Every structure is written in C-alpha cells, then in structure tokens.
Amino acid sequence: MSSNEWRKYKLEEIAEIIGGGTPSTTNPDFWGEEIPWVTPRDLASTDERFISCGERNITKKGLQNSSARLLPAGTVLLTTRAPIGYLRIALNPICTNQGFKSLIPKADIADNQFLFYLLKNNVEYLKSVGVGTTFAEISGSALRQIEFQFPPLPTQRRIAEILSALDDKIELNRQTNATLEAIAQAIFKEWFVDFNFPGATGEMVESELGLIPKGWRVGKLEEIVTNFDRKRVPLSSRERENRKGAFPYYGAASILDYVDDYIFDGVYLLMGEDGTVITEDGKPVLQYVSGKFWVNNHTHVLQGKKPFSTEYVLLQLKNTNVKHIVTGAVQPKINQGNMNELPVVIPDEFTLLSFQDIITPIFSNVLDTEQETSILTGIRDNLLPKLMNGEIEV
C-alpha cells in the first residue's frame, strides 16, 4: 500500500477523547474492589502494551461522583501530564485519574493497536505540545487538533500485527526470565535462608543474624563482591544527546539512554546508590546486566568475588533488607561504606560451589533470552518509525 494513500486526520476525527477524574479520597464509599482505576504511576514501566488494573479500584458510587468515565476494553490510555507520553491499551473496562486523555478509536477508521504504536512513535512530539510552568500538560483541545497520517484500516492492522508479534515475543521472553529467576530464588531461599541444603546436619550456631549452620559464618558484603564504582563516568543529558548510539546507559533503576561507547563489558550487578534505591519491601534496587554498557554515578557496579559468583550476590541481595542503611531525607542514598558493611551469611565453600553449579545454567538461559530480547527490541524500535511513516510497505 503506497504512502500516497495515507490520509491526514485530526485525533478528534479518529477517536473519542476522554479525560479522567478522582473521587474524594476521604469518602470510603468511593473506594473498593469494583472498578479498576489507574494513575500515571501505574504506567511507570514504559515498555508494555496492556493494562488491566492499577494499585486502586473505585466503586460505582465513586465513579458517579467524579469526572472519570468507564472506558471500554481496547481504549488507548495516554498520560497527558506528570508525565506526558505513558501509553497502554485497556484489556478490560477501566477508568483513569485526570492525568490521562484516553482515546476510544472509531472502529471504521482507526485500529487501536496501530494508534498505540503511532502515539508511541511520536511521544517526543506529544511532549512538545504540552504547556505549563509547574508541569507540562496537553489540554484536551490541543490533543484533539493534533494531526497524524493514517493508512487505510487494513494496512493499519497489518502494521500493528508486525509490531505486536515482536512485542508478544519480547513479553514472552520477559515472563520466561521472570520464571527462571524465581526458580533460582526459590532454590537460594531453600539452601541459604531455610538452611535445607544437601548434606545439612541440622547443627546450628548463634550469630548476629540468628542461628546459622555450623561451619558457616557471618561476614560483610565487601568480602563477596568486587566494586567497580571508580570506573563510572556520568554523562549529562546534553552529552548523551550528542552521543546517541547502541550501548545502554544505565541509571540507578533502569536504562536511561543509549550512547555511542561503553565502559563495561561482561556480566555485572548494578545496585542503586542514589534516588531509586529500595523496593517497597526494603530490598535493594538491582539490575542484572550483561554485554557492553555505560553507567552513570547513581548505581553501584558489582561482580562476585571468587569463589562467589555474581549470580549468588544477586540472590543474596534480593534476600537482604537494606532500609536501615538508606540515608538522605530528600534524595535516598546507599553509600559505598554502608553497602560494604552489610552483614551476609557466608557458607562453606563446598555448599557454595554446589549451589552455583545448579544456578549457572539457569542464569545462562536468562542471559541468552535477554540477548534475544535486546535484538528483538532493536528490530522493533528500528521498524516502528519506518512503518509509521510509510517508508516500508506492508
């Protein structure tokens, strides 16, 4: 289908655009288990397509007493303030707070998945439309007037099928890795938390962490890790803009950008140092990464120190509460000194190596799957603008 057959539409011509609302937070009758209600926070992970619920639900009475509206399944949810540009497709009837302008596509003109990918491809443009001093926002009237090129509906569906097939495989890979890591975590807990490991005699001794198997001891995290923080080099947003490339640039909790060079090459564990440093249950924010990458100065860069593998350190830290070492009222921080002093149980070497023999193939599969996911993500991100601009005919 030639791009000459594409037609320009205003968003108001291809979709009904609906704002959201919040019922009174002090009225218990408005909050319950009936209707999924989402906020921009529920969309904080930006690389997903679908959503079925948020952290909270509202009641029918709450819906009636707010400006929110129950949106049908298939609605494209778009955050238009604080921040602009988070996107999801509703899997079921859902409503949102006022941080959204949701789009219900007109079925005879627009495919909802095509619309999702179209908006995703134009997030930076959408951000430029936002106005405001405290925080940028796209008004409903401004959103309705935004124009995009749309191909005929059959072409929209073919484009969406190509991109969604890639995203389906990416999501399947993520689920596979989550399952593999859960298996490794369960084995770790059985051996090193419940102390039910092969050859366990049941003989226990007192330690500062409670009872531990005889022959084991309590040490410090610095005994089992090698720290590479000195090699970190932060890049400003302007520097990153001028150095776009293929290598991920990691922050405390996620990839922040892609740049033209790398500092590290191999398998590493990143542990948040500044900003996002702990999870809701008090565990450290961790990223298990491999390959060539750059790191800013807001995350510790670690590897296991022989005979401890990096994977063992990952599982150990996933079972370690670090809330007590977080400092800073405004900007949470886990400094290197406090991190190094974290107490950890150190098993005998035979048990350690036996455990690592079991988890090594598990994490090998994780890394292989992660590499495939990275390739698929690159293919998707390369195809997205070309398909949306009609450069590739389908």
Side-chain angles (χ1 to χ4, degrees):
M1 178 65 67
S2 169
S3 60
N4 293 332
E5 298 181 50
W6 291 41
R7 177 181 166 186
K8 186 176 288 186
Y9 287 97
K10 294 179 180 179
L11 287 180
E12 67 177 359
E13 295 179 287
I14 61 92
E16 183 181 4
I17 298 174
I18 308 294
T22 303
S24 170
T25 57
T26 60
N27 191 328
D29 291 339
F30 294 168
W31 300 92
E33 299 299 323
E34 295 179 67
I35 301 169
W37 180 81
V38 299
T39 72
R41 176 178 172 177
D42 295 314
L43 279 63
S45 174
T46 57
D47 201 28
E48 298 178 12
R49 275 182 299 159
F50 300 105
I51 191 167
S52 59
C53 63
E55 289 185 356
R56 303 186 71 182
N57 289 355
I58 63 174
T59 62
K60 291 179 181 178
K61 191 173 182 180
L63 182 64
Q64 293 165 359
N65 284 273
S66 75
S67 57
R69 177 174 147 185
L70 188 62
L71 305 166
T75 299
V76 178
L77 312 184
L78 169 68
T79 61
T80 50
R81 73 176 193 186
I84 293 171
Y86 288 177
L87 286 154
R88 290 290 192 283
I89 299 172
L91 278 174
N92 43 258
I94 205 167
C95 60
T96 75
N97 78 350
Q98 57 271 33
F100 291 79
K101 301 289 187 301
S102 299
L103 296 92
I104 305 174
K106 298 178 181 178
D108 59 336
I109 303 176
D111 176 81
N112 65 334
Q113 292 209 52
F114 177 86
L115 179 58
F116 168 86
Y117 286 115
L118 177 68
L119 295 174
K120 183 175 182 177
N121 187 52
N122 288 279
V123 165
E124 293 307 313
Y125 170 68
L126 292 171
K127 289 179 180 178
S128 74
V129 176
V131 296
T133 53
T134 305
F135 52 79
E137 179 175 8
I138 306 176
S139 68
S141 58
L143 187 65
R144 290 181 178 89
Q145 296 304 307
I146 292 176
E147 293 183 324
F148 291 115
Q149 293 280 354
F150 284 78
L153 195 55
T155 304
Q156 291 181 41
R157 289 172 178 154
R158 287 197 294 273
I159 290 172
E161 285 172 2
I162 292 169
L163 294 169
S164 62
L166 288 166
D167 271 333
D168 286 344
K169 177 56 177 170
I170 290 168
E171 178 57 28
L172 179 61
N173 282 359
R174 290 199 179 110
Q175 292 174 5
T176 298
N177 274 358
T179 300
L180 290 171
E181 290 182 26
I183 291 169
Q185 183 70 16
I187 299 170
F188 180 92
K189 185 176 183 297
E190 182 77 5
W191 285 39
F192 301 108
V193 178
D194 299 333
F195 305 126
N196 185 23
F197 53 91
T201 65
E203 294 182 82
M204 308 292 282
V205 296
E206 288 286 353
S207 78
E208 64 182 275
L209 294 179
L211 290 173
I212 62 173
K214 185 177 181 180
W216 295 20
R217 66 182 179 87
V218 173
K220 298 177 181 179
L221 184 66
E222 65 182 350
E223 295 181 57
I224 71 171
V225 300
T226 302
N227 189 298
F228 296 91
D229 287 1
R230 67 188 183 281
K231 293 182 65 176
R232 302 176 302 184
V233 180
L235 297 175
S236 68
S237 56
R238 178 173 293 182
E239 287 175 308
R240 300 200 307 271
E241 186 63 31
N242 294 328
R243 298 187 57 176
K244 293 294 185 184
F247 302 104
Y249 177 86
Y250 284 94
S254 64
I255 295 173
L256 301 178
D257 214 331
Y258 289 85
V259 294
D260 61 357
D261 203 355
Y262 63 93
I263 302 173
F264 299 98
D265 184 6
V267 178
Y268 290 83
L269 179 62
L270 308 183
M271 176 175 166
E273 178 178 3
D274 294 289
T276 305
V277 299
I278 60 171
T279 62
E280 289 184 0
D281 60 353
K283 304 302 192 300
V285 169
L286 303 168
Q287 299 175 82
Y288 178 63
V289 302
S290 67
K292 298 178 172 68
F293 59 94
W294 197 294
V295 174
N296 71 8
N297 59 343
H298 295 295
T299 187
H300 298 293
V301 185
L302 311 173
Q303 282 184 331
K305 183 186 295 183
K306 289 186 177 181
F308 298 89
S309 68
T310 301
E311 293 74 22
Y312 177 87
V313 177
L314 166 67
L315 297 170
Q316 174 71 69
L317 286 172
K318 279 182 173 287
N319 281 276
T320 302
N321 192 301
V322 297
K323 194 171 184 179
H324 62 288
I325 66 167
V326 177
T327 59
V330 177
Q331 176 83 332
K333 182 180 181 69
I334 297 178
N335 65 49
Q336 189 175 132
N338 287 341
M339 179 187 67
N340 287 340
E341 293 294 315
L342 280 171
V344 294
V345 174
I346 297 181
D348 66 86
E349 189 166 330
F350 177 81
T351 302
L352 172 67
L353 296 178
S354 297
F355 172 75
Q356 290 179 167
D357 284 344
I358 293 173
I359 65 165
T360 293
I362 295 176
F363 279 98
S364 178
N365 284 334
V366 168
L367 293 176
D368 288 345
T369 304
E370 191 61 41
Q371 182 179 24
E372 181 183 68
T373 298
S374 179
I375 293 169
L376 292 172
T377 301
I379 293 171
R380 181 201 63 191
D381 292 347
N382 186 52
L383 282 176
L384 179 61
K386 292 179 171 61
L387 288 168
M388 290 298 145
N389 294 330
E391 293 178 39
I392 300 176
E393 294 187 14
V394 297

